């Protein structure tokens, strides 16, 4: 399909929406992005962009610019919480021939995407809160976007890249309440006073873990800390907490965790919820992507990367189809099974880090230690289906 005649409205200027807008514009579509915020900004937190996300950035022509702002990751290390001793080392250099595995400040990725989107001629409209979307149907051939101020907009195609609280998702699927996983998470960035190497460290303790990795040429460390079996917590991840609460929960963590947590001045805490993957991603010339279709727990670090993969495949599927409807159906068909597998894998991952029975933990750590020293390529190979998947290769 020739996309140059298509007027596309993308709701949301997050990672998924901006990637979709750029990919569409590069195929000639007329694109408008509606963002509720007054500026395209991001919270101070890190992201891991694995090679499958890097492949999309490369195809969009952004790889060099993003790499300049990123830290190239060397390894993922699993460590025991008490003394910080190594349990397993996943050597990321084994992913040779792939785009590099990167640690990136979210704001830096958003900056690169937003600059490219604006330079390409996409119209980005800020302070535009969408209230609802009416998919195309009987009596109206094009979908309608209804703004919170009551005004309306029509497009040939509407993309809902509006995150966790999507307005398009209920229009296509109805509403299903998520369930609280009985886990809460804190996130913070701190100055790198411990000379953190260019690795992602997962410090595994009973019912808790802490992930740390460097950002911005090693000047900062990104910290995500997770605790199980606590009371109710809200889902939004902008809720401030007292850093002393975080330090108290992880007070028995040794190694580098203590000095890192000592540096925390500001921290956000939120509840981790599981949302089912939306059964319907498209219809009536509308499509969902990223968190709007399939929010995931953060335990595989794949949420943003999946949003980028979605965006690429959506545009590729449209450009190869005869009609919008056929392109959208092909998009969901190409994405659904992979995304479900990633979301399931992330959901099952937390308990592996959180073993609380000391005997079980010792045995599991011993097994991991052995596997990682005897068969490092095999350890890494278990993630090939995620990291070596390149959506830009068809
Ligand atoms: C602690 C944590 C760590 C993570 N780490 C990683 C990681 O290492 N790697 C990774 O790949 N992923 C990671 N993720 C997941 C990742 O952040 C998300 O999956 C990703 O940001 C989703 O992108 P999105 O574009 O779909 O949605 P969002 O980033 O949520 O963007 C949605 C946009 O839509 C706008 N919007 C919403 N509603 C409206 C409306 N009604 N009208 C107009 N605009 C609207 C919002 O303002 C926002 O700009 C992590 C998540 C968390 C919580």
């Amino acid at each position: 399909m020739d996309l140059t005649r298509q007027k596309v409205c993308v709701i949301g200027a997050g990672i998924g929406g901006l990637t979709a807008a750029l990919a569409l514009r590069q195929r000639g579509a007329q694109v408008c992005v509606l963002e509720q915020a007054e500026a395209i900004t991001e919270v101070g937190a890190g992201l891991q962009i694995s090679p499958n996300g890097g492949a999309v950035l490369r195809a969009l022509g952004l790889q060099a610019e993003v790499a300049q702002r990123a830290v190239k990751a060397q390894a993922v290390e699993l460590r025991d919480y008490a003394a910080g001793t190594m349990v397993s080392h996943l050597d990321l250099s084994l992913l040779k021939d792939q785009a590099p595995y990167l640690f990136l400040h979210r704001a830096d990725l958003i900056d690169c995407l937003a600059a490219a989107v604006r330079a390409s001629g996409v119209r980005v409209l800020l302070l535009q809160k969408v209230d609802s979307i009416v998919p195309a149907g009987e009596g109206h051939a094009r979908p309608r976007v209804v703004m919170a101020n009551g005004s309306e907009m029509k497009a040939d195609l509407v993309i809902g890249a509006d995150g966790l609280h999507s307005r398009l998702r209920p229009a296509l699927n109805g509403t299903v309440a998520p369930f609280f996983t009985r886990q809460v998470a804190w996130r913070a960035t701190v100055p790198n006073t411990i000379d953190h190497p260019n690795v992602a460290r997962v410090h595994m303790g009973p019912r808790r873990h802490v992930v740390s990795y460097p950002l911005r040429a090693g000047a900062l460390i990104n910290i995500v800390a997770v605790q199980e079996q606590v009371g109710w917590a809200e889902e939004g991840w902008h809720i401030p907490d007292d850093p002393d609460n975080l330090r108290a929960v992880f007070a028995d963590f040794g190694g580098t965790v203590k000095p890192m947590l000592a540096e925390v001045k500001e921290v956000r805490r939120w509840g981790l919820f599981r949302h089912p993957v939306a059964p319907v991603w498209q219809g009536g010339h509308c499509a969902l992507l990223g968190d709007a279709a399939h929010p995931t727990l953060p335990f595989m670090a794949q949420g943003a990367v999946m949003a980028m993969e979605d965006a690429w495949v959506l545009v590729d599927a449209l450009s190869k189809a005869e009609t919008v409807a056929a392109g959208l159906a092909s998009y969901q068909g190409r994405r659904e099974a992979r995304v479900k597998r990633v979301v399931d894998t992330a959901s099952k991952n937390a308990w592996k880090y959180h073993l609380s029975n000391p005997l079980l933990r010792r045995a599991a750590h011993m097994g991991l230690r052995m596997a990682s020293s005897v068969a490092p390529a095999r350890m890494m190979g278990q993630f090939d289906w995620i990291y070596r998947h390149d959506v830009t290769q068809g």
Side-chain angles (χ1 to χ4, degrees):
M1 195 173 66
D2 178 7
L3 290 178
T4 55
R5 292 202 198 106
Q6 297 293 317
K7 289 202 169 93
V8 187
C9 174
V10 177
I11 307 171
I15 291 163
L18 290 174
T19 307
L22 184 58
L24 281 161
R25 186 70 201 122
Q26 288 182 349
R27 307 274 178 122
Q30 296 161 49
V31 188
C32 166
V33 177
L34 303 177
E35 167 57 49
Q36 65 184 355
E38 62 183 348
I40 303 183
T41 50
E42 259 295 342
V43 294
L47 273 178
Q48 302 180 48
I49 300 294
S50 50
N52 48 316
V56 177
L57 293 172
R58 184 174 51 202
L60 291 171
L62 292 179
Q63 187 183 24
E65 206 183 329
V66 169
Q68 261 183 9
R69 300 190 184 205
V71 171
K72 188 173 172 208
Q74 291 165 348
V76 176
E77 294 177 353
L78 304 185
R79 290 181 170 262
D80 186 62
Y81 78 108
T85 44
M86 181 89 80
V87 172
S88 161
H89 177 94
L90 285 178
D91 180 358
L92 295 172
S93 71
L94 292 169
L95 288 169
K96 50 182 179 281
D97 312 326
Q98 307 295 309
Y101 195 117
L102 302 175
F103 301 142
L104 199 58
H105 200 288
R106 296 175 71 92
D108 293 342
L109 178 58
I110 285 284
D111 270 2
C112 287
L113 284 166
V117 159
R118 287 191 164 117
S120 72
V122 168
R123 279 197 314 144
V124 180
L125 305 178
L126 302 173
L127 287 171
Q128 300 294 320
K129 189 173 171 59
V130 171
D131 180 63
S132 59
I133 296 98
V134 184
E138 275 176 34
H140 52 105
R142 302 167 85 204
R144 275 182 296 140
V145 178
V146 183
M147 309 303 298
N149 64 10
S151 64
E152 286 194 11
M153 196 180 274
K154 280 190 184 148
D156 299 314
L157 172 63
V158 173
I159 297 177
D162 47 349
L164 207 53
H165 304 291
S166 170
R167 309 315 292 238
L168 179 59
R169 179 173 171 144
L172 296 176
N173 292 276
T175 309
V176 180
F179 76 88
F180 182 45
T181 63
R182 302 186 66 78
Q183 300 176 87
V184 291
W186 291 260
R187 64 174 173 77
T189 46
V190 295
N192 184 359
T193 55
I194 60 154
D195 199 15
H196 199 301
N198 292 348
V199 303
R201 284 183 171 157
V202 184
H203 313 261
M204 306 178 293
R207 299 196 170 94
R208 289 155 300 158
H209 77 271
V210 175
V211 178
S212 60
Y213 54 85
L215 296 173
R216 290 195 168 150
L220 298 175
I221 299 173
N222 187 66
I223 298 173
V224 177
V226 177
Q227 180 194 20
E228 281 182 20
Q229 291 194 353
V230 290
W232 173 261
E234 274 185 64
E235 190 172 22
W237 52 310
H238 299 279
I239 301 154
D241 194 16
D242 183 339
D244 283 339
N245 293 339
L246 170 66
R247 287 188 268 272
V249 169
F250 295 90
D252 55 344
F253 275 51
T256 52
V257 174
K258 216 176 267 302
M260 286 191 295
L261 296 190
E263 293 293 328
V264 175
K265 303 264 186 311
E266 275 182 29
V267 66
R268 302 278 189 270
R269 175 183 184 268
W270 76 104
L272 296 176
F273 285 67
R274 271 195 79 173
H275 298 249
V277 172
V280 180
W281 294 24
Q282 55 82 29
H285 289 211
C286 297
L288 293 166
L289 64 75
D291 278 9
H294 46 73
T296 174
L297 293 174
F299 305 133
M300 286 302 295
Q302 284 292 307
V305 172
M306 286 300 114
M308 290 159 66
E309 284 191 1
D310 282 354
W312 180 272
V313 174
L314 171 60
V315 178
D316 187 55
L318 285 167
S319 67
K320 288 178 176 152
E322 298 279 314
T323 62
V324 169
L328 296 184
S330 159
Y331 157 64
Q332 180 167 357
R334 282 168 61 180
R335 292 300 294 154
E336 196 173 358
R338 172 170 174 77
V339 163
K340 276 187 173 157
R341 190 172 172 201
V342 169
V343 171
D344 281 353
T345 307
S347 301
K348 287 178 190 141
N349 239 9
W351 75 267
K352 292 186 192 163
Y353 300 152
H354 291 179
L355 296 173
S356 54
N357 178 316
L359 291 177
L360 198 60
R361 194 171 64 246
R362 214 168 302 142
H365 287 189
M366 210 183 297
L368 278 170
R369 223 169 253 135
M370 197 158 352
S372 126
S373 62
V374 174
R378 197 146 155 219
M379 283 287 281
M380 197 62 233
Q382 65 185 306
F383 301 110
D384 277 356
W385 67 275
I386 301 180
Y387 300 152
R388 289 184 182 276
H389 187 86
D390 181 350
V391 290
T392 68
Q393 296 303 311

